[in-house]
Amino acid sequence: MAQPTNEAIEKLLTKGIRDMWYVFCPSSFVKDKPISIRRCGYKIVLWRDRSGKLAALEDHCPHRGAPLSLGKPMGDRIQCDYHGVEVDRDGIAVRVPGSPGCKLEGMKATRRFPVEEHAGVIFGYVGADAHAVPAKLELPEQLTSPEFSHFPCYVEWKGDYRYVMDNVMDPMHGTYLHKMSHSMAEGEVQAKFRIRDTQSGFVFEKEGQRDVNFDWTEFIDSGIHWLRLEIPYPKTGGPGGNFHIIGTCAPIDETASAIIFWRCRKLSGWQRDVWRFLYKNRLETRHWEVLEQDRRMLAEFEPDARDRELLYDHDMGLMRLRRILKQKAIAQLTAQTSAA
Ligand code: FES
Ligand SMILES: [Fe+2]
């Protein structure tokens, strides 16, 4: 069978591989009014019913394409403001008030996005098929175990989401870009790295240095692509061990990315209270300062930077990650061609 073209692979990767969960937005973004967001090449409307249960559809009325987000939420359905067509949470046009019994009524006409909320964040499933049944979304222990305490941080940055993933899969930038920070000033300025495979991904780690600086990153594929890392805290960071970061990102479009990550620490009881207090009063500002260094750097990358790289050993992690994404894209495009 013919291989998908590089152009087709790049197009799919730019929009995000299908049949995956992606971060949509913080739960707090969706209150009593519908909102509209862009993710993975789609404009998406999100709303809640009276009980707070979420629904997400393509923000496109099946009649003539008016944005459903300008319509009225009616529990498990939303009514388009243009001519009153009602679409339910499964994407079925359940009522056409201007022409009852017409062909549109009863049609599964609108793409739906299964949604789940965890740890203060809305995740959406982007299927290859408009009504795909979602895969299981598995969360890392940092978000599910009561032993961890965490703060969600959501940002939208200029630039391709893959530069964000590359940035996290590149621990060595901690030693240089963040050398003046409170948590990444220590350790060797040179390193050798290795890749260690895990059950659901791989770890890219320094040889001979751990728990000194940003020394490793893990890629986890569990229905969504997670990136995980730990950085040691200085004594002034209060009780608890390493500082854990777990995050994921999604393409908004070719020029912007939605990023969610949680700042976590494994502690309980009074130690948890001390850390949460310290975080809010002192540490959070410092963390955002460090993050600003990343944001500034990535925002200034030219869109074709990836085509003009001269990589070395420290880039093995991001090369492996890119290869995994590319192989997934190829498999998906090939499956689509054979199904067609
Ligand atoms: S465009 Fe929505 S009802 Fe006509
Ligand atoms: Fe960074």
Side-chain angles (χ1 to χ4, degrees):
M1 185 176 305
Q3 279 269 317
T5 62
N6 281 340
E7 224 186 321
I9 296 166
E10 182 56 26
K11 200 170 151 201
L12 177 56
L13 286 173
T14 305
K15 288 186 176 173
I17 294 165
R18 277 26 196 167
D19 292 336
M20 294 276 315
W21 288 92
Y22 285 95
V23 53
F24 272 12
C25 61
S27 295
S28 60
F29 281 21
V30 193
K31 298 200 172 82
D32 49 347
K33 290 201 180 71
I35 68 156
S36 185
I37 61 170
R38 286 186 193 274
R39 289 294 176 276
C40 306
Y42 294 105
K43 190 170 177 231
I44 299 165
V45 56
L46 291 147
W47 80 94
R48 292 187 191 277
D49 67 15
R50 281 239 171 89
S51 69
K53 191 173 165 205
L54 268 175
L57 295 175
E58 188 169 2
D59 192 8
H60 179 102
C61 175
H63 175 218
R64 286 207 24 238
L68 290 170
S69 53
L70 293 182
K72 280 182 239 15
M74 305 169 72
D76 74 337
R77 58 181 75 178
I78 190 162
Q79 180 174 45
C80 179
D81 238 15
Y82 211 11
H83 314 95
V85 168
E86 293 171 23
V87 188
D88 75 5
R89 61 165 59 248
D90 292 323
I92 299 169
V94 282
R95 204 167 84 90
V96 181
S99 180
C102 75
K103 226 170 55 194
L104 177 57
E105 253 183 17
M107 269 175 75
K108 228 181 195 182
T110 304
R111 174 177 274 269
R112 64 144 195 174
F113 297 89
V115 275
E116 286 186 17
E117 289 185 273
H118 300 282
V121 172
I122 299 169
F123 297 89
Y125 188 74
V126 179
D129 183 81
H131 295 90
V133 177
K136 191 165 182 279
L137 169 60
E138 279 179 50
L139 301 169
E141 63 162 349
Q142 281 78 4
L143 302 184
T144 53
S145 162
E147 292 188 339
F148 280 91
S149 177
H150 50 74
F151 291 95
C153 311
Y154 175 79
V155 289
E156 293 183 1
W157 281 0
K158 193 175 153 229
D160 186 313
Y161 73 104
R162 287 171 292 170
Y163 283 133
V164 177
M165 297 184 86
D166 287 350
N167 182 58
V168 186
M169 197 36 86
D170 168 21
M172 205 59 191
H173 86 266
T175 305
Y176 289 88
L177 181 65
H178 305 311
K179 61 179 175 292
M180 302 302 280
S181 72
H182 64 296
S183 55
M184 284 175 274
E186 305 295 327
E188 298 294 332
V189 295
Q190 294 181 3
K192 280 207 179 312
F193 279 87
R194 66 175 166 228
I195 289 176
R196 187 162 44 87
D197 287 317
T198 62
Q199 249 183 1
S200 50
F202 68 94
V203 177
F204 184 55
E205 60 193 354
K206 286 179 191 165
E207 285 180 11
Q209 180 174 301
R210 202 165 177 99
D211 298 339
V212 177
N213 197 299
F214 175 8
D215 294 328
W216 57 270
T217 304
E218 181 177 6
F219 168 72
I220 305 165
D221 185 347
S222 65
I224 185 168
H225 291 153
W226 297 111
L227 289 168
R228 193 169 81 79
L229 59 104
E230 285 176 30
I231 298 177
Y233 248 10
K235 290 253 177 317
T236 50
N242 285 354
F243 176 51
H244 298 231
I245 296 180
I246 177 97
T248 185
C249 60
I252 293 177
D253 56 28
E254 316 81 75
T255 63
S257 326
I259 304 154
I260 182 74
F261 62 98
W262 288 260
R263 294 176 174 141
C264 329
R265 269 187 118 178
K266 194 173 187 178
L267 26 62
S268 55
W270 66 268
Q271 294 196 324
R272 169 182 300 231
D273 297 340
V274 170
W275 179 58
R276 294 191 74 84
F277 178 80
L278 266 180
Y279 177 87
K280 278 289 162 207
N281 287 282
R282 183 160 352 128
L283 303 170
E284 185 174 12
T285 319
R286 291 192 203 159
H287 287 317
W288 285 115
E289 280 163 11
V290 173
L291 203 71
E292 179 59 14
Q293 295 166 346
D294 293 294
R295 189 201 62 76
R296 257 185 50 222
M297 183 62 78
L298 298 189
E300 294 304 325
F301 267 52
E302 289 290 309
D304 70 342
R306 203 184 292 108
D307 307 327
R308 302 172 55 196
E309 298 169 327
L310 295 168
L311 304 177
Y312 54 94
D313 290 2
H314 293 180
D315 307 308
M316 282 185 313
L318 60 89
M319 283 192 270
R320 166 73 74 100
L321 177 56
R322 290 176 187 179
R323 200 162 58 238
I324 290 174
L325 297 185
K326 187 171 174 182
Q327 280 164 354
K328 282 184 98 166
I330 293 173
Q332 201 153 84
L333 290 164
T334 311
Q336 275 167 17
T337 317
S338 42

PDB file of all heavy atoms in Angstrom, residues 114-141:
ATOM      1  N   PRO A 114     -16.703  13.953  22.771  1.00  0.00           N
ATOM      2  CA  PRO A 114     -16.846  13.471  24.151  1.00  0.00           C
ATOM      3  C   PRO A 114     -15.941  14.291  25.075  1.00  0.00           C
ATOM      4  O   PRO A 114     -14.813  14.625  24.690  1.00  0.00           O
ATOM      5  CB  PRO A 114     -16.361  12.018  24.064  1.00  0.00           C
ATOM      6  CG  PRO A 114     -16.560  11.647  22.617  1.00  0.00           C
ATOM      7  CD  PRO A 114     -16.289  12.899  21.847  1.00  0.00           C
ATOM      8  N   VAL A 115     -16.464  14.641  26.240  1.00  0.00           N
ATOM      9  CA  VAL A 115     -15.677  15.464  27.172  1.00  0.00           C
ATOM     10  C   VAL A 115     -15.653  14.857  28.568  1.00  0.00           C
ATOM     11  O   VAL A 115     -16.615  14.209  28.984  1.00  0.00           O
ATOM     12  CB  VAL A 115     -16.221  16.923  27.264  1.00  0.00           C
ATOM     13  CG1 VAL A 115     -15.663  17.794  26.166  1.00  0.00           C
ATOM     14  CG2 VAL A 115     -17.741  16.978  27.253  1.00  0.00           C
ATOM     15  N   GLU A 116     -14.565  15.069  29.254  1.00  0.00           N
ATOM     16  CA  GLU A 116     -14.446  14.645  30.657  1.00  0.00           C
ATOM     17  C   GLU A 116     -13.754  15.767  31.420  1.00  0.00           C
ATOM     18  O   GLU A 116     -12.927  16.471  30.852  1.00  0.00           O
ATOM     19  CB  GLU A 116     -13.582  13.371  30.771  1.00  0.00           C
ATOM     20  CG  GLU A 116     -14.278  12.120  30.303  1.00  0.00           C
ATOM     21  CD  GLU A 116     -13.451  10.853  30.553  1.00  0.00           C
ATOM     22  OE1 GLU A 116     -12.497  10.888  31.366  1.00  0.00           O
ATOM     23  OE2 GLU A 116     -13.762   9.840  29.912  1.00  0.00           O
ATOM     24  N   GLU A 117     -14.108  15.877  32.700  1.00  0.00           N
ATOM     25  CA  GLU A 117     -13.450  16.889  33.544  1.00  0.00           C
ATOM     26  C   GLU A 117     -12.658  16.206  34.645  1.00  0.00           C
ATOM     27  O   GLU A 117     -13.179  15.320  35.331  1.00  0.00           O
ATOM     28  CB  GLU A 117     -14.497  17.793  34.205  1.00  0.00           C
ATOM     29  CG  GLU A 117     -15.153  18.719  33.233  1.00  0.00           C
ATOM     30  CD  GLU A 117     -16.110  19.690  33.919  1.00  0.00           C
ATOM     31  OE1 GLU A 117     -17.282  19.313  34.095  1.00  0.00           O
ATOM     32  OE2 GLU A 117     -15.668  20.788  34.287  1.00  0.00           O
ATOM     33  N   HIS A 118     -11.408  16.595  34.765  1.00  0.00           N
ATOM     34  CA  HIS A 118     -10.555  16.046  35.821  1.00  0.00           C
ATOM     35  C   HIS A 118      -9.630  17.138  36.339  1.00  0.00           C
ATOM     36  O   HIS A 118      -9.082  17.901  35.531  1.00  0.00           O
ATOM     37  CB  HIS A 118      -9.666  14.921  35.278  1.00  0.00           C
ATOM     38  CG  HIS A 118     -10.430  13.768  34.702  1.00  0.00           C
ATOM     39  ND1 HIS A 118     -11.029  12.813  35.479  1.00  0.00           N
ATOM     40  CD2 HIS A 118     -10.699  13.435  33.415  1.00  0.00           C
ATOM     41  CE1 HIS A 118     -11.627  11.926  34.699  1.00  0.00           C
ATOM     42  NE2 HIS A 118     -11.447  12.277  33.446  1.00  0.00           N
ATOM     43  N   ALA A 119      -9.433  17.159  37.638  1.00  0.00           N
ATOM     44  CA  ALA A 119      -8.469  18.068  38.278  1.00  0.00           C
ATOM     45  C   ALA A 119      -8.633  19.505  37.780  1.00  0.00           C
ATOM     46  O   ALA A 119      -7.655  20.194  37.506  1.00  0.00           O
ATOM     47  CB  ALA A 119      -7.034  17.564  38.039  1.00  0.00           C
ATOM     48  N   GLY A 120      -9.904  19.916  37.608  1.00  0.00           N
ATOM     49  CA  GLY A 120     -10.187  21.310  37.243  1.00  0.00           C
ATOM     50  C   GLY A 120     -10.029  21.630  35.773  1.00  0.00           C
ATOM     51  O   GLY A 120      -9.992  22.795  35.382  1.00  0.00           O
ATOM     52  N   VAL A 121      -9.962  20.588  34.940  1.00  0.00           N
ATOM     53  CA  VAL A 121      -9.705  20.812  33.512  1.00  0.00           C
ATOM     54  C   VAL A 121     -10.648  19.984  32.643  1.00  0.00           C
ATOM     55  O   VAL A 121     -10.996  18.850  33.000  1.00  0.00           O
ATOM     56  CB  VAL A 121      -8.224  20.455  33.203  1.00  0.00           C
ATOM     57  CG1 VAL A 121      -7.944  20.482  31.714  1.00  0.00           C
ATOM     58  CG2 VAL A 121      -7.300  21.433  33.922  1.00  0.00           C
ATOM     59  N   ILE A 122     -11.043  20.547  31.509  1.00  0.00           N
ATOM     60  CA  ILE A 122     -11.898  19.830  30.554  1.00  0.00           C
ATOM     61  C   ILE A 122     -11.017  19.221  29.469  1.00  0.00           C
ATOM     62  O   ILE A 122     -10.204  19.921  28.856  1.00  0.00           O
ATOM     63  CB  ILE A 122     -12.916  20.794  29.904  1.00  0.00           C
ATOM     64  CG1 ILE A 122     -13.821  21.398  30.973  1.00  0.00           C
ATOM     65  CG2 ILE A 122     -13.734  20.070  28.824  1.00  0.00           C
ATOM     66  CD1 ILE A 122     -14.676  22.559  30.482  1.00  0.00           C
ATOM     67  N   PHE A 123     -11.184  17.925  29.276  1.00  0.00           N
ATOM     68  CA  PHE A 123     -10.490  17.214  28.206  1.00  0.00           C
ATOM     69  C   PHE A 123     -11.524  16.816  27.163  1.00  0.00           C
ATOM     70  O   PHE A 123     -12.641  16.418  27.507  1.00  0.00           O
ATOM     71  CB  PHE A 123      -9.817  15.944  28.740  1.00  0.00           C
ATOM     72  CG  PHE A 123      -8.747  16.218  29.752  1.00  0.00           C
ATOM     73  CD1 PHE A 123      -9.054  16.298  31.101  1.00  0.00           C
ATOM     74  CD2 PHE A 123      -7.438  16.403  29.350  1.00  0.00           C
ATOM     75  CE1 PHE A 123      -8.068  16.557  32.041  1.00  0.00           C
ATOM     76  CE2 PHE A 123      -6.446  16.669  30.281  1.00  0.00           C
ATOM     77  CZ  PHE A 123      -6.761  16.751  31.627  1.00  0.00           C
ATOM     78  N   GLY A 124     -11.147  16.897  25.890  1.00  0.00           N
ATOM     79  CA  GLY A 124     -12.062  16.513  24.816  1.00  0.00           C
ATOM     80  C   GLY A 124     -11.423  15.458  23.944  1.00  0.00           C
ATOM     81  O   GLY A 124     -10.196  15.434  23.758  1.00  0.00           O
ATOM     82  N   TYR A 125     -12.279  14.581  23.424  1.00  0.00           N
ATOM     83  CA  TYR A 125     -11.786  13.503  22.555  1.00  0.00           C
ATOM     84  C   TYR A 125     -12.004  13.915  21.104  1.00  0.00           C
ATOM     85  O   TYR A 125     -13.115  14.238  20.692  1.00  0.00           O
ATOM     86  CB  TYR A 125     -12.559  12.218  22.851  1.00  0.00           C
ATOM     87  CG  TYR A 125     -11.986  11.015  22.146  1.00  0.00           C
ATOM     88  CD1 TYR A 125     -10.796  10.436  22.574  1.00  0.00           C
ATOM     89  CD2 TYR A 125     -12.631  10.440  21.049  1.00  0.00           C
ATOM     90  CE1 TYR A 125     -10.264   9.329  21.951  1.00  0.00           C
ATOM     91  CE2 TYR A 125     -12.098   9.328  20.414  1.00  0.00           C
ATOM     92  CZ  TYR A 125     -10.922   8.777  20.869  1.00  0.00           C
ATOM     93  OH  TYR A 125     -10.394   7.679  20.249  1.00  0.00           O
ATOM     94  N   VAL A 126     -10.911  13.910  20.341  1.00  0.00           N
ATOM     95  CA  VAL A 126     -10.999  14.287  18.930  1.00  0.00           C
ATOM     96  C   VAL A 126     -10.858  13.012  18.111  1.00  0.00           C
ATOM     97  O   VAL A 126      -9.770  12.456  17.965  1.00  0.00           O
ATOM     98  CB  VAL A 126      -9.904  15.327  18.573  1.00  0.00           C
ATOM     99  CG1 VAL A 126      -9.983  15.690  17.101  1.00  0.00           C
ATOM    100  CG2 VAL A 126     -10.056  16.563  19.450  1.00  0.00           C
ATOM    101  N   GLY A 127     -11.989  12.521  17.631  1.00  0.00           N
ATOM    102  CA  GLY A 127     -11.993  11.255  16.892  1.00  0.00           C
ATOM    103  C   GLY A 127     -11.707  11.461  15.415  1.00  0.00           C
ATOM    104  O   GLY A 127     -11.901  12.545  14.872  1.00  0.00           O
ATOM    105  N   ALA A 128     -11.221  10.381  14.786  1.00  0.00           N
ATOM    106  CA  ALA A 128     -11.076  10.421  13.324  1.00  0.00           C
ATOM    107  C   ALA A 128     -12.476  10.486  12.725  1.00  0.00           C
ATOM    108  O   ALA A 128     -12.730  11.158  11.736  1.00  0.00           O
ATOM    109  CB  ALA A 128     -10.333   9.185  12.849  1.00  0.00           C
ATOM    110  N   ASP A 129     -13.400   9.799  13.375  1.00  0.00           N
ATOM    111  CA  ASP A 129     -14.791   9.787  12.946  1.00  0.00           C
ATOM    112  C   ASP A 129     -15.581  10.819  13.762  1.00  0.00           C
ATOM    113  O   ASP A 129     -15.292  11.030  14.935  1.00  0.00           O
ATOM    114  CB  ASP A 129     -15.340   8.376  13.192  1.00  0.00           C
ATOM    115  CG  ASP A 129     -16.760   8.245  12.721  1.00  0.00           C
ATOM    116  OD1 ASP A 129     -16.939   8.049  11.514  1.00  0.00           O
ATOM    117  OD2 ASP A 129     -17.685   8.361  13.559  1.00  0.00           O
ATOM    118  N   ALA A 130     -16.587  11.436  13.118  1.00  0.00           N
ATOM    119  CA  ALA A 130     -17.341  12.511  13.773  1.00  0.00           C
ATOM    120  C   ALA A 130     -18.082  12.041  15.022  1.00  0.00           C
ATOM    121  O   ALA A 130     -18.396  12.841  15.899  1.00  0.00           O
ATOM    122  CB  ALA A 130     -18.323  13.122  12.789  1.00  0.00           C
ATOM    123  N   HIS A 131     -18.379  10.730  15.102  1.00  0.00           N
ATOM    124  CA  HIS A 131     -19.110  10.239  16.276  1.00  0.00           C
ATOM    125  C   HIS A 131     -18.367   9.091  16.946  1.00  0.00           C
ATOM    126  O   HIS A 131     -18.974   8.156  17.463  1.00  0.00           O
ATOM    127  CB  HIS A 131     -20.544   9.861  15.887  1.00  0.00           C
ATOM    128  CG  HIS A 131     -21.326  11.062  15.449  1.00  0.00           C
ATOM    129  ND1 HIS A 131     -21.372  11.470  14.134  1.00  0.00           N
ATOM    130  CD2 HIS A 131     -22.009  11.997  16.159  1.00  0.00           C
ATOM    131  CE1 HIS A 131     -22.082  12.597  14.062  1.00  0.00           C
ATOM    132  NE2 HIS A 131     -22.474  12.934  15.266  1.00  0.00           N
ATOM    133  N   ALA A 132     -17.042   9.186  16.908  1.00  0.00           N
ATOM    134  CA  ALA A 132     -16.187   8.128  17.448  1.00  0.00           C
ATOM    135  C   ALA A 132     -16.464   7.881  18.932  1.00  0.00           C
ATOM    136  O   ALA A 132     -16.777   8.812  19.680  1.00  0.00           O
ATOM    137  CB  ALA A 132     -14.726   8.523  17.271  1.00  0.00           C
ATOM    138  N   VAL A 133     -16.356   6.614  19.297  1.00  0.00           N
ATOM    139  CA  VAL A 133     -16.463   6.265  20.725  1.00  0.00           C
ATOM    140  C   VAL A 133     -15.075   6.503  21.333  1.00  0.00           C
ATOM    141  O   VAL A 133     -14.077   6.017  20.802  1.00  0.00           O
ATOM    142  CB  VAL A 133     -16.874   4.786  20.886  1.00  0.00           C
ATOM    143  CG1 VAL A 133     -16.911   4.400  22.357  1.00  0.00           C
ATOM    144  CG2 VAL A 133     -18.226   4.559  20.212  1.00  0.00           C
ATOM    145  N   PRO A 134     -15.006   7.263  22.417  1.00  0.00           N
ATOM    146  CA  PRO A 134     -13.673   7.629  22.929  1.00  0.00           C
ATOM    147  C   PRO A 134     -12.911   6.469  23.550  1.00  0.00           C
ATOM    148  O   PRO A 134     -13.497   5.560  24.128  1.00  0.00           O
ATOM    149  CB  PRO A 134     -13.991   8.675  23.995  1.00  0.00           C
ATOM    150  CG  PRO A 134     -15.391   8.407  24.397  1.00  0.00           C
ATOM    151  CD  PRO A 134     -16.098   7.854  23.200  1.00  0.00           C
ATOM    152  N   ALA A 135     -11.591   6.548  23.438  1.00  0.00           N
ATOM    153  CA  ALA A 135     -10.712   5.623  24.159  1.00  0.00           C
ATOM    154  C   ALA A 135     -10.704   6.055  25.621  1.00  0.00           C
ATOM    155  O   ALA A 135     -11.151   7.161  25.949  1.00  0.00           O
ATOM    156  CB  ALA A 135      -9.306   5.716  23.579  1.00  0.00           C
ATOM    157  N   LYS A 136     -10.195   5.179  26.484  1.00  0.00           N
ATOM    158  CA  LYS A 136     -10.139   5.522  27.908  1.00  0.00           C
ATOM    159  C   LYS A 136      -9.076   6.611  28.123  1.00  0.00           C
ATOM    160  O   LYS A 136      -8.000   6.548  27.525  1.00  0.00           O
ATOM    161  CB  LYS A 136      -9.771   4.266  28.696  1.00  0.00           C
ATOM    162  CG  LYS A 136      -9.931   4.400  30.173  1.00  0.00           C
ATOM    163  CD  LYS A 136      -9.915   3.016  30.834  1.00  0.00           C
ATOM    164  CE  LYS A 136     -10.116   3.122  32.316  1.00  0.00           C
ATOM    165  NZ  LYS A 136      -8.981   3.451  33.103  1.00  0.00           N
ATOM    166  N   LEU A 137      -9.432   7.585  28.942  1.00  0.00           N
ATOM    167  CA  LEU A 137      -8.469   8.633  29.285  1.00  0.00           C
ATOM    168  C   LEU A 137      -7.839   8.277  30.627  1.00  0.00           C
ATOM    169  O   LEU A 137      -8.535   8.223  31.648  1.00  0.00           O
ATOM    170  CB  LEU A 137      -9.179   9.989  29.379  1.00  0.00           C
ATOM    171  CG  LEU A 137      -8.389  11.148  29.984  1.00  0.00           C
ATOM    172  CD1 LEU A 137      -7.126  11.440  29.188  1.00  0.00           C
ATOM    173  CD2 LEU A 137      -9.260  12.403  30.056  1.00  0.00           C
ATOM    174  N   GLU A 138      -6.551   8.005  30.613  1.00  0.00           N
ATOM    175  CA  GLU A 138      -5.886   7.638  31.867  1.00  0.00           C
ATOM    176  C   GLU A 138      -5.059   8.792  32.397  1.00  0.00           C
ATOM    177  O   GLU A 138      -4.300   9.408  31.657  1.00  0.00           O
ATOM    178  CB  GLU A 138      -5.002   6.419  31.651  1.00  0.00           C
ATOM    179  CG  GLU A 138      -5.804   5.136  31.670  1.00  0.00           C
ATOM    180  CD  GLU A 138      -4.942   3.923  31.438  1.00  0.00           C
ATOM    181  OE1 GLU A 138      -3.913   3.793  32.122  1.00  0.00           O
ATOM    182  OE2 GLU A 138      -5.315   3.129  30.555  1.00  0.00           O
ATOM    183  N   LEU A 139      -5.226   9.043  33.679  1.00  0.00           N
ATOM    184  CA  LEU A 139      -4.519  10.168  34.303  1.00  0.00           C
ATOM    185  C   LEU A 139      -3.326   9.665  35.108  1.00  0.00           C
ATOM    186  O   LEU A 139      -3.382   8.581  35.687  1.00  0.00           O
ATOM    187  CB  LEU A 139      -5.461  10.908  35.250  1.00  0.00           C
ATOM    188  CG  LEU A 139      -6.732  11.474  34.619  1.00  0.00           C
ATOM    189  CD1 LEU A 139      -7.673  11.929  35.710  1.00  0.00           C
ATOM    190  CD2 LEU A 139      -6.419  12.646  33.708  1.00  0.00           C
ATOM    191  N   PRO A 140      -2.277  10.443  35.186  1.00  0.00           N
ATOM    192  CA  PRO A 140      -1.126  10.035  35.997  1.00  0.00           C
ATOM    193  C   PRO A 140      -1.437  10.163  37.493  1.00  0.00           C
ATOM    194  O   PRO A 140      -2.330  10.919  37.879  1.00  0.00           O
ATOM    195  CB  PRO A 140      -0.045  11.037  35.581  1.00  0.00           C
ATOM    196  CG  PRO A 140      -0.794  12.212  35.079  1.00  0.00           C
ATOM    197  CD  PRO A 140      -2.083  11.723  34.520  1.00  0.00           C
ATOM    198  N   GLU A 141      -0.658   9.440  38.290  1.00  0.00           N
ATOM    199  CA  GLU A 141      -0.940   9.417  39.734  1.00  0.00           C
ATOM    200  C   GLU A 141      -0.849  10.796  40.372  1.00  0.00           C
ATOM    201  O   GLU A 141      -1.505  11.073  41.366  1.00  0.00           O
ATOM    202  CB  GLU A 141      -0.014   8.431  40.464  1.00  0.00           C
ATOM    203  CG  GLU A 141       1.449   8.805  40.365  1.00  0.00           C
ATOM    204  CD  GLU A 141       2.316   8.109  41.409  1.00  0.00           C
ATOM    205  OE1 GLU A 141       1.779   7.490  42.337  1.00  0.00           O
ATOM    206  OE2 GLU A 141       3.556   8.216  41.286  1.00  0.00           O
TER     207      GLU A 141
END
